Amino acid sequence: MKHMTKIAVSLAAILLPATGAAWGQSKGGVIDVATIGEPPTLDPMASTADLVGIVTQHIYETLYTFDKDWGVTPLLAAEMPQISADGMTYTIPLRTGIKFHDGSDMNSADVVASLQRWMKVATRGKQAAETITAVEATDDNTVKITLNKPFAPLLSLLSLNNAAAIIIPSENANEDPMTKFVGTGPYLLKERKPDQFIQLARFDGYKSRDGESNGYGGARKQYLDEIRFVPVPDPNTRVEGAVSGQFAYVDSLPVESFEKISGGKTAPVLLKPFGWPVFVLNTKEGLNSDIKIRKAIQAALAPNDMLLAAFGSEDFFAVDGAMYPEGYKWHTEAGTEPYKPDGDTEAAAALLKEAGYDGSKPLRILTSRQYEFHYKMAQVAAEYLKAAGFQVQMDVVEWATLTKNRTDAGLWDIYITHSPFLPEPSLTGIMSDTSPGWWVSDKKHEVLGAFNAESDPAKRVALWAAVQQAVYDEVPAFKVGNFNALAAQAPNLKGVTPAPWPYFWNAYIESN
């Protein structure tokens, strides 16, 4: 998979049968999945948090999704769209016989209402809305999307599971916030007890696609009776829960626990490379509305020490300023000269002096300990920033609070997050003007507009270099490096394919 995440599984390979190996397995069983915390919402349109997408992708579905090679593939759409010669009209045929969890039939009116809500509520929907002039039903089973200019990322935006273009009943599409959690997915919401569990039960009216499973696409078999997502905010508690066999699957473990979870009642699942930690800068207001301050932060940070503190061993990280690593089709070194593995304190101090910063106003770093590597990077970053002359204020909160607070530009200057290497660069949060950080500039619109308007894959690769150059020139975010992600899986849980957003359709419990 040259153009997206390459997955290596160590020790857990025996747990992971090849595609189709689980076919014919009997239904039954309940699994508990430990997550990093309580999701802030069960409305995937309203959040870009991976945690929200992990849970809700079982409840709701989109028109398209990603296959095992990170290509777009139909999900609720019957097939790939017919695209007009000028690239400005997408005609999408819908699958028939699809039921919502409330028993109603899905049709084009539901799709139109859902996409209209998506364009109002979701950051990525707002991003798409800038080029969409109309979404209309041409008959009960066909939807037409009309654009004002060609927009190559559209299908990828319709495929992603966070800030997601989920399809819901039209009568629910006016809700904001959402109160009725009704989708078409293989599992429905049975019960939610905040900070205890989210319990999903098999939806017996689900209509799977034919054929075999294919990444997030293809057949979605419902072997499990129930899936319970259990919030476990403390990473050490997640490790102990994995070792004791309390959970069938444990997401986001500290990489130093690799040996501890190897063997016995659990085994490690290593995704390598998984993605990139990123410091997002608030360009809208506060200290970081000044480009010189942002440049000072860029110069001050020392990725090597930050990654070493977060991951401990180079087996689990790579110091790399390119937004996509070597081997990915989007890889380019354009603009990366300011990325210094050990930082440049003197240059940062000079930039601060030039900006007129006197240390009276703190640089506020918003982070969480539920992703422990975020917190460890923040601690190291704070020391380098102080050495450059910043006064630093660490605001450490629960992840759900962070995802809420980051939407308020008055509360932070930097927040820390991470992302898998996404198949379409325009899916990256900072590419949306409305995503927290609010990077808006003429240069961004020029280079990103050219990139998004180009449909030729080879030309898009060349145009991406100019977008990465603009990221380094204007510093809306700071990529720390590349990292590998660790999870744990019980030996009797089969049919789970390692993925950035783990999913449990096709999973089953092996009988003794």
Side-chain angles (χ1 to χ4, degrees), residues 2 40 68 193 204 229 262 382 428 437 507:
K2 287 187 177 181
K68 63 182 177 61
K193 289 191 175 181
D204 290 330
F229 292 94
S262 299
T428 304

Side-chain angles (χ1 to χ4, degrees), residues 118-283:
W118 177 64
M119 290 188 290
K120 294 175 184 176
V121 172
T123 55
R124 294 189 175 96
K126 293 174 184 177
Q127 184 180 357
E130 295 174 5
T131 61
I132 294 175
T133 59
V135 179
E136 54 193 324
T138 58
D139 59 42
D140 283 350
N141 301 309
T142 310
V143 170
K144 184 171 73 172
I145 300 175
T146 306
L147 310 181
N148 55 31
K149 59 184 176 182
F151 186 60
L154 178 61
L155 291 180
S156 291
L157 287 166
L158 292 173
S159 301
L160 200 63
N161 68 5
N162 58 66
I166 58 167
I167 306 306
I168 57 178
S170 58
E171 58 267 28
N172 298 345
N174 291 325
E175 289 190 343
D176 188 20
M178 183 184 286
T179 61
K180 301 181 185 71
F181 304 101
V182 177
T184 62
Y187 289 84
L188 53 78
L189 180 64
K190 181 177 180 180
E191 185 178 9
R192 181 184 188 183
K193 289 191 175 181
D195 299 316
Q196 294 185 50
F197 60 80
I198 296 168
Q199 186 175 15
L200 307 185
R202 183 193 298 114
F203 172 42
D204 290 330
Y206 182 67
K207 184 177 181 180
S208 172
R209 294 193 71 93
D210 295 331
E212 295 190 347
S213 61
N214 183 3
Y216 293 92
R220 294 183 168 187
K221 297 295 184 179
Q222 304 163 277
Y223 298 113
L224 299 169
D225 291 336
E226 294 184 357
I227 306 166
R228 296 202 313 172
F229 292 94
V230 182
V232 185
D234 181 72
N236 293 323
T237 305
R238 290 201 298 279
V239 172
E240 295 305 322
V243 172
S244 69
Q246 180 182 357
F247 302 107
Y249 193 94
V250 182
D251 193 33
S252 190
L253 292 174
V255 292
E256 60 266 25
S257 67
F258 186 91
E259 295 299 330
K260 189 171 185 178
I261 63 172
S262 299
K265 296 181 179 180
T266 191
V269 179
L270 186 67
L271 286 82
K272 178 181 182 179
F274 174 84
W276 47 297
V278 58
F279 283 36
V280 179
L281 280 59
N282 179 356
T283 67

